[in-house]
Amino acid sequence: MASTAPEEGAPLRSPPSPVRRASVVFLVIGLACLAVADIEVSTLDPWTELGRLAWGFVTPDFTATEYLFEALLYTVAFALLGVVLGNFLGFLLALVFDWRVVRVGCAFVRAVHELFWALIFLQVFGLTPWTGVLAIAIPYAGIIAKVYAEILEEADPAPARQLPTGTGRVSTFLYARMPDVLVHFRTYSLYRLECGLRSSAVLGFVGLPTLGFHLESAFSQGHYSEVAALLMLFWLIIATIRQWLRRRLLPIYLVAAVWVLPEGMPISMAGLWRFLSHDIVPHPLRIAEQLDAQVLGETWHWFANLVMSQALPGIVNTVVLTMVALVATGLLTLALFPLVSTRFGGPWRRRGGHLLLVVMRSTPEYVLAYIGLQLWGPSMLPAIIALSLHNGAIIGHLMGRFSSALPALPGRLRVFDRYFYEVLPQVYRQFLAFLFYRWEVIMRETAILGMLGIYTLGFYVDSAFADLRFDRALVLILITALLNIAVDVISRRVRARLRLRTSFDAA
């Protein structure tokens, strides 16, 4: 029997760490998915089109859009009302988040993207303010409930112990816990409003009168100077959000938001009842006169056919695109965070880096993918670039802040040595925590990019809505939500196994 003991004098080789193994595994999966992904460029002359787009940004035309000011107002109004309503509902749900039914319900509503909610509410409420506000508020309530519950769970218990015996639960919550968590709630709410502005802008792609509506129109006509003006104003709104959003002005903003939103058709309760009781019922059940074994068999055949012909191809493409985008996001993050870190370069370079990252993370990934599709044609390539740019900028910004707070080692090192031998080893675990936290978000975004013609689950959902087959659309949305929940569970288990922690700011 051969001995397994190391030979005398041979160097001892330590086994690879779990973090290193996980990094290699995800890199290999990403490369394998890239090998089977459709990344073909199908346009004849993409560089000419890219040049026209670049020239549009040199010559922005702020007078081209007739209703530009109204579009900006609607975008902000939908975002404000949706985020405030989502905050209110999310806060209430966070108080009872330990109830299983609440946790499961929140996991489901946040797993469905705002655009899918908008498509559902369009069938119920039509093009009314309710559609835009609820499409933002419902999924955000699920997200906020989870984050607020985590904040409350990790609040310092020491102040509560100082209260007199017999203090009620409400008083304990208001005087001992809220002061500790309020600053986290405000920080996260501000971040959610930035997300809400992006969501509100994208809702224009399904017909609501926000910036996305005019962006789609300008793109389809090749008016790139108009596109540049719309995007520049949108970036300005997000970049100055801390300046114009004051707490004491919030009530005025909310009243103004209700006042400026366009009037829509009155809500038809009969239409709502028809949608819930007829339109989303599977076709075999809907036309059956009575429920029997034959009808159940036909319903199963209907479901199996839907899964095999649409859900499975959509799931495969969604997972492939997600994994490639996740790895691309990670690589881009490692390249971007030195641009805003005090450990690399001076203040002018950091200002330029901050500006670049603000532009990248403020532009909705749906808009970035739409631009890519106009330049390179329908394939996964625009989606990969859009997802990695948007998410890489978000994580790069967080990593820049994290690395800036680390203590510097004594001595002067070259930039290359400082990056690979000093900073990267210190920030790598936090980098992975941020990346795996965004995994579920990337999956949500991947699904809705199908509405642009990429064959993910969103493509089949959008097609079902276009064909007025709401029963099929609902089943595909449920499958999308289950896929998102599964990725969220895997992400949490990976982070727990690697003992990675994510700060609230990254949520």
Side-chain angles (χ1 to χ4, degrees):
M1 182 177 178
S3 172
T4 57
E7 295 180 7
E8 188 176 351
L12 292 174
R13 180 174 298 176
S14 59
S17 70
V19 169
R20 189 182 304 172
R21 280 201 300 269
S23 302
V24 172
V25 168
F26 275 84
L27 181 61
V28 170
I29 292 174
L31 291 175
C33 289
L34 180 63
V36 298
D38 172 20
I39 54 173
E40 181 184 2
V41 175
S42 56
T43 50
L44 296 177
D45 192 3
W47 293 110
T48 300
E49 205 64 19
L50 189 61
R52 290 184 59 211
L53 179 62
W55 181 248
F57 276 89
V58 177
T59 58
D61 186 354
F62 294 93
T63 63
T65 304
E66 187 177 0
Y67 301 105
L68 178 59
F69 185 65
E70 283 185 8
L72 288 172
L73 279 181
Y74 292 154
T75 303
V76 176
F78 276 120
L80 271 174
L81 293 173
V83 172
V84 168
L85 181 58
N87 252 290
F88 176 71
L89 297 174
F91 174 73
L92 295 179
L93 291 170
L95 300 179
V96 291
F97 201 73
D98 54 339
W99 296 0
R100 181 184 294 271
V101 64
V102 173
R103 289 201 307 276
V104 173
C106 288
F108 173 76
V109 298
R110 71 172 180 265
V112 179
H113 195 278
E114 300 88 85
L115 273 181
F116 288 157
W117 282 112
L119 287 174
I120 293 172
F121 290 134
L122 271 174
Q123 317 310 320
V124 179
F125 303 123
L127 281 173
T128 66
W130 282 108
T131 296
V133 173
L134 290 179
I136 295 173
I138 298 297
Y140 279 27
I143 297 170
I144 290 168
K146 177 191 172 191
V147 175
Y148 281 8
E150 291 174 352
I151 293 174
L152 287 169
E153 187 179 331
E154 297 191 11
D156 185 4
R161 297 195 192 106
Q162 306 302 319
L163 294 177
T165 306
T167 304
R169 294 183 63 180
V170 175
S171 298
T172 301
F173 179 78
L174 291 178
Y175 294 107
R177 302 189 71 185
M178 278 300 287
D180 184 46
V181 301
L182 200 54
V183 63
H184 294 300
F185 283 1
R186 286 175 185 160
T187 302
Y188 187 73
S189 298
L190 193 63
Y191 169 71
R192 265 298 130 199
L193 180 59
E194 182 182 325
C195 299
L197 286 167
R198 288 196 295 267
S199 300
S200 178
V202 169
L203 290 180
F205 284 84
V206 296
L208 290 169
T210 61
L211 275 180
F213 181 83
H214 299 281
L215 271 174
E216 185 178 29
S217 173
F219 261 117
S220 61
Q221 299 175 60
H223 296 165
Y224 293 134
S225 295
E226 185 179 350
V227 169
L230 289 167
L231 286 176
M232 286 179 179
L233 289 173
F234 185 64
W235 295 332
L236 183 65
I237 289 175
I238 289 186
T240 59
I241 192 171
R242 291 180 185 276
Q243 281 68 49
W244 58 264
L245 185 66
R246 301 291 181 180
R247 193 172 31 165
R248 64 180 181 278
L249 296 178
L250 188 57
I252 300 174
Y253 286 151
L254 291 176
V255 172
V258 173
W259 183 67
V260 302
L261 282 184
E263 292 185 8
M265 296 180 293
I267 298 173
S268 167
M269 297 308 294
L272 173 61
W273 176 247
R274 176 183 169 81
F275 181 76
L276 296 176
S277 63
H278 180 270
D279 293 349
I280 61 174
V281 176
H283 183 259
L285 293 176
R286 193 192 317 152
I287 62 174
E289 296 181 356
Q290 61 180 6
L291 188 63
D292 53 25
Q294 182 181 354
V295 173
L296 290 177
E298 290 174 355
T299 304
W300 171 252
H301 179 72
W302 173 88
F303 177 74
N305 180 55
L306 179 62
V307 169
M308 296 304 295
S309 62
Q310 298 189 14
L312 275 181
I315 290 172
V316 169
N317 286 322
T318 301
V319 171
V320 166
L321 179 52
T322 298
M323 296 312 297
V324 176
L326 181 73
V327 172
T329 297
L331 296 175
L332 191 62
T333 298
L334 294 177
L336 287 176
F337 86 84
L339 297 177
V340 293
S341 172
T342 57
R343 308 295 294 276
F344 304 93
W348 283 106
R349 198 174 79 171
R350 289 201 300 278
R351 289 192 187 99
H354 279 298
L355 178 62
L356 176 65
L357 295 195
V358 165
V359 169
M360 288 166 61
R361 76 170 193 261
S362 301
T363 311
E365 66 286 349
Y366 194 87
V367 174
L368 288 171
Y370 186 85
I371 295 172
L373 283 170
Q374 310 307 309
L375 299 175
W376 303 306
S379 74
M380 289 186 182
L381 180 62
I384 294 169
I385 293 174
L387 291 167
S388 56
L389 285 178
H390 178 72
N391 292 286
I394 291 175
I395 306 177
H397 167 73
L398 296 169
M399 288 295 298
R401 282 175 30 187
F402 183 79
S403 62
S404 297
L406 293 174
L409 298 179
R412 295 178 61 85
L413 295 174
R414 293 182 303 168
V415 173
F416 180 87
D417 294 336
R418 189 184 311 146
Y419 180 85
F420 283 103
Y421 299 115
E422 182 186 334
V423 177
L424 192 57
Q426 294 184 74
V427 303
Y428 194 74
R429 292 182 63 84
Q430 191 61 56
F431 155 71
L432 281 185
F434 288 147
L435 185 64
F436 288 141
Y437 194 94
R438 295 292 298 182
W439 188 5
E440 181 252 348
V441 178
I442 292 173
M443 174 69 83
R444 288 177 79 238
E445 294 164 347
T446 298
I448 60 110
L449 292 183
M451 294 172 62
L452 293 173
I454 303 163
Y455 293 114
T456 61
L457 279 166
F459 173 81
Y460 298 103
V461 172
D462 192 41
S463 300
F465 273 113
D467 296 338
L468 303 181
R469 294 183 171 181
F470 303 129
D471 50 351
R472 289 183 174 227
L474 190 70
V475 171
L476 291 169
I477 288 176
L478 287 173
I479 290 172
T480 306
L482 292 175
L483 187 62
N484 259 63
I485 292 171
V487 168
D488 189 29
V489 170
I490 295 171
S491 168
R492 278 191 278 115
R493 290 187 177 179
V494 169
R495 281 180 283 153
R497 189 175 181 84
L498 299 179
R499 299 180 180 178
L500 304 174
R501 284 180 56 83
T502 310
S503 69
F504 296 125
D505 290 343

